[in-house]
Amino acid sequence: MDSLHFQCFGTGSSGNSYYVGHAGGGILVDAGLSMRHIRRSLKAIGVSMASIQAVFVTHDHTDHIKSVGALSTSFGIPVYATPKVHAGIESNYRVTQKIGAGKRFIQAGDSLELGGLHITAFPVSHDASECVGYSIAYAGKRLTIATDLGYVNHEAAQLLGQADYIVIEANYDEEMLRRGPYPLRLQERIRSNSGHLSNRQAACFLAENYNKRLKSIFLCHLSRENNTPAQAYSTVKEELEARQIIVGRDVEVIPLERLSPSKFYIFAS
Ligand SMILES: [Zn+2]
Ligand SMILES: [Zn+2]
């Protein structure tokens, strides 16, 4: 019971969902993939729907909330989000099944205890109704998820800095975005402080804030058009190694796949 469990079911504009838990059950962070994908992923790691304590929603973009209503109404799973994000889910016409009685409220800065997990919500800067990240502690280990953010603000930096395991956005390669197919206005939105984090921004943050506690860096929300896993990985490796932080020796760096589940990680304490 003393290990923290983690798996990414898929991440990026086609849908995001993470499982974080322990041998007795856990939570989902976001449910932006289809119900079928989420159920199949949970089944593959031997986690029953009944042992999912809640879904914690980062923000109300469809790639993070597609199945929250279905999880709530079909399986009675509570859905935590800020009041503004709940209102955003309610008015998002792409979410056909709504949450109903399963609504639970959380604010940036709040912490709560659920099924042995200690969960803290923190604000991040992004162009949704509101956006938070989550930091989850269990048995002396901390995993912090910061996805969909224009820049790393103070609150995110603090909880990323205390983590043993980090999930951080590496959305785009700056050069690929500049030369790529996106119109200028969309490029500007992505680059803005309420857009997405580039490989270089994530890499610089990680290099500047590395400490010995940190074991694994998972790169999430990679763009299909403006990034590749190899590009994200090499940018982060380059910035870390410029500061003598050696990937493979001091820390591991894992780009998460867009469409398929990651390995199932059991972080022993
Ligand atoms: Zn997203
Ligand atoms: Zn978003």
Side-chain angles (χ1 to χ4, degrees):
M1 284 290 283
D2 282 321
S3 303
L4 181 66
H5 295 183
F6 167 73
Q7 189 176 33
C8 171
F9 296 158
T11 175
S13 54
S14 305
N16 299 270
S17 189
Y18 302 93
Y19 172 75
V20 184
H22 49 68
I27 60 165
L28 298 178
V29 173
D30 288 335
L33 295 155
S34 70
M35 271 306 290
R36 200 165 143 248
H37 187 127
I38 291 171
R39 291 187 72 172
R40 205 173 38 203
S41 305
L42 283 169
K43 199 173 169 201
I45 57 171
V47 175
S48 71
M49 232 22 148
S51 64
I52 300 296
Q53 308 270 331
V55 184
F56 285 80
V57 179
T58 59
H59 64 295
D60 54 317
H61 286 158
T62 311
D63 56 321
H64 298 261
I65 57 171
K66 192 175 177 185
S67 297
V68 288
L71 282 162
S72 162
T73 52
S74 308
F75 299 96
I77 298 172
V79 179
Y80 285 85
T82 71
K84 282 183 186 161
V85 169
H86 270 305
I89 294 170
E90 201 59 49
S91 61
N92 187 323
Y93 68 91
R94 292 198 197 89
V95 182
T96 45
Q97 217 167 336
K98 299 299 181 187
I99 297 169
K103 255 185 217 173
R104 302 286 184 280
F105 294 95
I106 193 166
Q107 295 278 14
D110 287 354
S111 284
L112 64 91
E113 199 85 30
L114 199 65
L117 301 170
H118 186 80
I119 301 148
T120 303
F122 57 93
V124 302
S125 173
H126 186 56
D127 57 1
S129 299
E130 196 168 21
C131 191
V132 297
Y134 292 102
S135 186
I136 298 139
Y138 178 74
K141 297 287 174 208
R142 178 176 293 279
L143 171 88
T144 299
I145 301 178
T147 187
D148 297 59
L149 62 169
Y151 73 105
V152 182
N153 62 16
H154 175 70
E155 292 89 339
Q158 265 199 326
L159 285 161
L160 288 165
Q162 294 166 21
D164 306 273
Y165 310 100
I166 281 178
V167 179
I168 189 168
E169 178 170 48
N171 182 260
Y172 63 97
D173 175 76
E174 289 165 10
E175 194 59 26
M176 284 177 78
L177 178 66
R178 203 167 60 78
R179 292 169 183 245
Y182 284 11
L184 207 58
R185 270 242 307 265
L186 180 56
Q187 290 191 25
E188 279 164 5
R189 200 219 109 197
I190 291 168
R191 268 188 218 108
S192 78
N193 270 351
S194 56
H196 291 281
L197 213 61
S198 73
N199 294 343
R200 189 67 63 189
Q201 285 175 298
C204 290
F205 171 80
L206 291 163
E208 284 160 19
N209 293 275
Y210 171 81
N211 67 66
K212 287 213 156 70
R213 180 172 177 171
L214 182 63
K215 292 185 187 63
S216 311
I217 298 164
F218 297 94
L219 304 175
C220 73
H221 219 284
L222 271 64
S223 163
R224 185 180 59 185
E225 289 80 10
N226 305 309
N227 209 354
T228 65
Q231 192 61 42
Y233 175 84
S234 65
T235 305
V236 171
K237 183 176 153 82
E238 183 187 302
E239 291 290 346
L240 288 171
E241 298 199 343
R243 290 178 185 246
Q244 276 71 52
I245 304 156
I246 308 301
V247 174
R249 182 191 75 186
D250 301 320
V251 68
E252 59 173 350
V253 176
I254 301 125
L256 293 168
E257 284 193 54
R258 295 179 53 252
L259 303 175
S260 40
S262 69
K263 252 172 65 184
F264 179 46
Y265 292 88
I266 298 177
F267 303 128
S269 37

